[in-house]
Amino acid sequence: MDKPGSKEFTAVLLAGGEGTRLSPLTQGKCKALLPVGNHPILKFSLRWLAKYGYPKPLIVTTDCMKGEIEQYLSSAGLGNPSIHTVPEDTDTAQALRAVADKIERNAIVVSCDTITDVNLTNLTSYHRSKNATATILMKHAKPHDKKSKERYLTEYVGLDEQTNRVTLFASSAELRDPVDLGRALLTRRPNMLLTRSLLDAHVHIFSKWAVNLIASKERYTSLKHEVLPSLCAHQFRRKTADGNWGGLDVPPPQVDPPLPAIDFPAPQFSVSDIASQTHNNHPTSVYDPVSVYAYIADNDGVLCKDPLDLKALTEQVTEGEYISRVNYLSTYLSTNKDLAKSTAAGKYAPEQELLAADFAANWQKPSKEGAFPAKATVSTPSLVGENYQPEEGAIVKATTIGNNVKVGAGSRVSHSVIMDGVIIASGCIIDSCIIGSGTRIPEGSKLKDCILGNNITNLPEESEHKNEILSNDDF
């Protein structure tokens, strides 16, 4: 397996987010340890980085989360990564600044809520071949409902489609007014594509020059909202009289000769492509002092196939590079469904890489004789944790069941996530819900499209809720 040298890239794992968009599931819990597919989110990032040669990333978290993360790493046998703490209100650029002195060259900055199987060797090779100041891992966006809040948190991306040069980068919430593209940008990239169909996966690679810039400019607090838009805006600028670059007040980066990509296919150009480049006045060299590029994943499929080494159970699922950000309640539910679909009983030997063996251990084969009481079933695709206790006639379908979960007689649970220690009484119907750990669902309750927080124990019997988010404060 190809692994880039650790001296060329330093991995930084951001694990200090409070997870406010995942509330009430994160109330009283560390977001980095929130279970997805019965495994903490943090585990996916650690295993992905380790696979490609970064077993000890710099983990940046808050003081209040450090103890929980250290305890988890120790108990899970995930090595001894370096953990650095920052204040609770620290944003992403500030977190990177806190460890900038420990980064020798390029930095791979990963948000712990990103789950991906993208080949990191190809990504770092792409960054190297472009001699980029920054490279953004991006995915194709799924269309949102017009009323969805998430659609306002996507990106406006200006993209040179022939080179994947990112000429504009801003969240859609920041560009409600007409967009001023600037004369310099339009002169250099007159045929740029302006799109909202690409999403930032929150995996960024920064050159050492960019890391130093972030370290020296305390006005930068956010990588997404300030650093990346600023770098994009300062492309195609001229050197000022004092030798600085554009409006950044720092010397421009030293542009080295282009480096070849490793195991990365060279682009193929036709005669028409070259003619088009000339006609559109594209520069012949892409190695400008400041340059930002997009690495766009082929995420036509919906399955993790590489870091988890999992295969599809169902015919309708296609393969492709997988990226999911577990930063909304909706994506938390959909990611759990994806992982359940990508797991099969008895397919994975313990020696297989990464999480394959872990998922195999969490799988209850529905047809196993004597596994459950009479008429109690678990239908694929589902994940079932340890000490699952169904009663007679309990039916679970396409659901992730955590550890120590009880499902009462005649209850039906479908397309849901049931976290650790949940007790569901008899005669309940639960569809497309997330039930937080330690919560008790009383007899005869009917829940559809609901999110219930942790440790809710005072729901009245025969409760009926639809399209609601509930916590202890509601009772």
Side-chain angles (χ1 to χ4, degrees), residues 109-412:
V109 185
V110 182
S111 174
C112 77
D113 61 14
T114 296
I115 296 177
T116 182
D117 68 351
V118 168
N119 188 308
L120 185 53
T121 299
N122 284 353
L123 178 56
T124 54
S125 180
Y126 180 84
H127 175 84
R128 183 191 301 112
S129 70
K130 295 294 188 181
N131 213 347
T133 308
T135 299
I136 309 169
L137 175 61
M138 308 196 81
K139 60 175 284 190
H140 296 283
K142 296 179 181 179
H144 292 299
D145 183 86
K146 292 183 178 180
K147 296 181 180 179
S148 171
K149 294 180 181 179
E150 296 175 31
R151 72 190 184 97
Y152 294 110
L153 298 168
T154 57
E155 284 75 56
Y156 273 114
V157 178
L159 190 71
D160 183 330
E161 291 185 281
Q162 294 182 347
T163 65
N164 276 9
R165 185 82 172 261
V166 181
T167 54
L168 176 73
F169 185 87
S171 71
S172 55
E174 297 170 348
L175 289 179
R176 302 280 179 88
D177 296 325
V179 180
D180 182 7
L181 299 179
R183 180 179 298 177
L185 173 58
L186 291 176
T187 300
R188 294 290 296 272
R189 293 293 188 273
N191 286 359
M192 131 182 118
L193 171 69
L194 185 61
T195 179
R196 285 177 59 188
S197 67
L198 295 172
L199 291 179
D200 175 18
H202 283 229
V203 176
H204 308 136
I205 302 181
F206 293 102
S207 68
K208 177 59 177 174
W209 178 87
V211 172
N212 290 341
L213 174 70
I214 295 166
S216 66
K217 300 295 181 182
E218 293 191 2
R219 69 174 183 266
Y220 289 143
T221 60
S222 169
L223 296 176
K224 175 175 179 176
H225 297 289
E226 293 171 347
V227 173
L228 290 171
S230 179
L231 290 176
C232 288
H234 284 86
Q235 298 177 108
F236 321 122
R237 297 290 181 93
R238 295 185 178 183
K239 187 184 295 185
T240 58
D242 58 4
N244 292 329
W245 187 256
L248 293 176
D249 299 325
V250 293
Q254 180 67 37
V255 180
D256 297 324
L259 296 174
I262 297 177
D263 295 330
F264 195 84
Q268 302 295 319
F269 295 102
S270 65
V271 174
S272 61
D273 291 331
I274 297 173
S276 176
Q277 286 184 326
T278 305
H279 176 74
N280 290 332
N281 197 30
H282 285 258
T284 57
S285 173
V286 297
Y287 302 102
D288 293 335
V290 177
S291 58
V292 181
Y293 285 88
Y295 182 98
I296 303 173
D298 177 17
N299 64 312
D300 292 333
V302 296
L303 284 185
C304 312
K305 65 172 183 177
D306 196 19
L308 305 183
D309 284 337
L310 304 177
K311 295 182 180 179
L313 272 182
T314 50
E315 294 180 358
Q316 71 270 22
V317 179
T318 59
E319 291 186 349
E321 291 179 309
Y322 182 83
I323 300 175
S324 179
R325 284 205 66 215
V326 189
N327 59 336
Y328 295 103
L329 292 169
S330 59
T331 57
Y332 179 79
L333 183 59
S334 63
T335 304
N336 273 279
K337 291 180 179 179
D338 289 343
L339 295 180
K341 289 177 181 178
S342 62
T343 308
K347 293 288 186 181
Y348 308 106
E351 65 270 19
Q352 283 187 288
E353 291 181 324
L354 303 178
L355 296 183
D358 296 331
F359 277 111
N362 275 343
W363 175 267
Q364 287 268 17
K365 191 173 181 181
S367 61
K368 184 177 180 180
E369 185 177 356
F372 305 131
K375 298 183 180 180
T377 61
V378 176
S379 302
T380 59
S382 293
L383 286 172
V384 179
E386 297 179 359
N387 195 31
Y388 172 52
Q389 303 172 47
E391 295 182 354
E392 183 176 350
I395 297 175
V396 170
K397 178 181 179 182
T399 291
T400 297
I401 299 286
N403 300 321
N404 302 308
V405 170
K406 298 180 180 180
V407 178
S411 289
R412 290 180 289 166

Side-chain angles (χ1 to χ4, degrees), residues 19-38:
T20 53
R21 293 174 187 155
L22 291 168
S23 181
L25 301 179
T26 50
Q27 290 179 353
K29 287 185 175 292
C30 176
K31 174 189 173 182
L33 300 181
L34 191 69
V36 178
N38 289 337

